Amino acid sequence: MTAAPRPVDVLVIGGGQAGLAAGYYLRRAKADFVLLDAQDSAGGAWRYAWNSLRLFSPAQYSSLPGRMMPIPPGGGYPSAAEVVTYLTDYERRYDLPVLRPVTVHAVRRGDGHLLVETGHGTWQAKAVISATGTWWRPYIPYYPGLRDFGGEHLHTAGYRGPEPLRGKRVVIVGGGNSAAQLLAELTTLAEVTWVTQRPPRLLPDDIDGRALFDLATRRHRATQAGEQAGEQAGEPTAGIADLGDIVAVPPVREARDRGLLKAEPMFTRITSRGVAWADGSTLACDVILWCTGFRPALNHLAPLGLRGPDGLIPTRGTQAIGEPRLHLLGYGDWTGPASATLIGAGRTARQLVAEIVAQLQ
């Protein structure tokens, strides 16, 4: 016999930074809730980041609600390992009810509730918060010849450190922060070529995650008010992309000062031995390192039939327009300003939980 679904008022899918932020406010609201995490220990996607990865903001501007991240010894920007330690402590400190490893396979509509099907049985929830992030869906754009390449395709999601690439010819693809950080790291031991869609632009040295979060928040508020960016007199409303693409963290700054942050135009096709441009020039390489981002991990929500033509789920704030019992947190600005960051997830979670609590009353 199939066991009856376990009832709960609020079910959070994902035990990373966004899920923990939601859990903090649900705990404060004394809600009946549970968090399901597919990983076998705390830390979310930060457990899988490369060793040298650094945050773009100081610890005091990269914290979840209620508890500041400890400042690293000597100051500076926290590492991925320090974020894992922080999230592990955070989960324990607030006694958040995280069950792991529990993989959610599907969310379906029930009679007045949502049914959450997992590898360990089914839950029945009055509200669901999906906070699975994007790390689990690395994106590699298609180029002609992609499957013909005889070398290695490597995405940032699979990069752990520079040693396996020592002495190899590496083409780094992408004009963002990950590409710049890995370029700075690999130039000391590999033959590296950087290719981008447009010339890379570093943000001013005094701009980091603090300023970027403020910009994202202002743009979000302007959009909610029905205003276009630039209409609010007296406020800086330039988008992040108008300032630049890459945060000048210390390793990137050092590479820039050594004249290493030079990029070639984007290639047009991939050959069995490397890459080629429209003018007929070619470059042989051993590895193509794709720093091309991620897509939201939303497959568990497919039975609800909510995705739009762009692959995203239309939302009003964090609430799914087509299913008001579902909220999404931590996937990007479309689910809250800078909600894929530590500080942004926390600020968005506060409003999200307030809406759910009101919804359940």
Side-chain angles (χ1 to χ4, degrees):
M1 295 180 63
T2 303
R6 286 170 281 184
V8 68
D9 283 351
V10 185
L11 188 144
V12 182
I13 305 173
Q17 61 195 34
L20 297 186
Y24 171 84
Y25 285 112
L26 287 166
R27 175 68 81 202
R28 285 186 56 179
K30 299 181 179 179
D32 171 34
F33 73 103
V34 66
L35 290 88
L36 305 183
D37 186 26
Q39 306 308 305
D40 58 10
S41 62
W46 293 101
R47 295 173 55 209
Y48 304 95
W50 61 94
N51 296 334
S52 63
L53 178 65
R54 292 291 184 274
L55 298 185
F56 300 143
S57 302
Q60 56 269 43
Y61 293 94
S62 303
S63 301
L64 292 178
R67 181 165 176 77
M68 193 181 87
M69 185 184 298
I71 297 174
Y77 299 90
S79 67
E82 287 165 333
V83 176
V84 171
T85 299
Y86 168 70
L87 294 178
T88 302
D89 174 73
Y90 188 93
E91 182 179 312
R92 185 184 306 115
R93 178 183 180 86
Y94 294 109
D95 193 26
L96 298 179
V98 183
L99 302 181
R100 61 166 60 93
V102 178
T103 300
V104 173
H105 298 302
V107 179
R108 306 181 190 276
R109 292 182 179 88
D111 185 10
H113 52 257
L114 292 173
L115 292 172
V116 180
E117 299 173 0
T118 81
H120 293 73
T122 299
W123 291 79
Q124 175 181 305
K126 297 177 183 177
V128 169
I129 300 171
S130 183
T132 49
T134 63
W135 183 265
W136 322 110
R137 283 197 64 205
Y139 172 68
I140 294 179
Y142 174 77
Y143 281 88
L146 181 73
R147 295 177 179 84
D148 299 329
F149 182 53
E152 178 186 3
H153 287 293
L154 179 64
H155 191 276
T156 46
Y159 179 87
R160 292 294 177 268
E163 278 303 320
L165 302 182
R166 179 179 289 275
K168 294 186 177 182
R169 298 166 297 176
V170 181
V171 172
I172 296 179
V173 183
N177 289 293
S178 296
Q181 284 197 31
L182 297 189
L183 174 73
E185 179 166 277
L186 289 170
T187 49
T188 61
L189 49 75
E191 182 182 327
V192 181
T193 302
W194 190 15
V195 297
T196 59
Q197 292 283 4
R198 63 181 185 183
R201 301 174 302 160
L202 266 66
L203 289 155
D205 288 359
D206 60 339
I207 298 292
D208 61 15
R210 294 167 289 187
L212 301 184
F213 178 80
D214 289 342
L215 281 169
T217 300
R218 282 197 289 271
R219 288 187 63 133
H220 178 74
R221 288 173 179 168
T223 300
Q224 286 187 320
E227 301 170 356
Q228 294 182 351
E231 290 183 354
Q232 297 182 22
E235 282 197 54
T237 54
I240 293 171
D242 297 323
L243 292 177
D245 307 304
I246 299 165
V247 177
V249 294
V252 171
R253 203 176 304 166
E254 292 169 10
R256 176 201 62 193
D257 294 343
R258 288 187 287 137
L260 299 176
L261 295 185
K262 296 178 181 178
E264 301 294 331
M266 192 64 205
F267 53 76
T268 55
R269 62 187 177 89
I270 299 172
T271 70
S272 61
R273 299 184 57 202
V275 297
W277 285 265
D279 63 3
S281 59
T282 62
L283 177 69
C285 64
D286 304 302
V287 178
I288 301 177
L289 177 51
W290 297 92
C291 301
T292 45
F294 301 81
R295 295 293 183 266
L298 301 173
N299 288 345
H300 57 292
L301 302 177
L304 298 174
L306 299 172
R307 289 202 192 193
D310 59 358
L312 304 181
I313 294 176
T315 58
R316 183 178 297 107
T318 62
Q319 188 177 45
I321 292 175
E323 176 47 75
R325 293 167 293 195
L326 173 67
H327 287 254
L328 298 103
L329 176 64
Y331 297 99
D333 288 347
W334 62 285
T335 56
S339 70
T341 67
L342 283 154
I343 189 171
R347 295 187 183 183
T348 303
R350 181 177 184 176
Q351 179 62 33
L352 179 158
V353 170
E355 292 174 4
I356 288 179
V357 170
Q359 186 180 353
L360 295 178
Q361 289 177 349

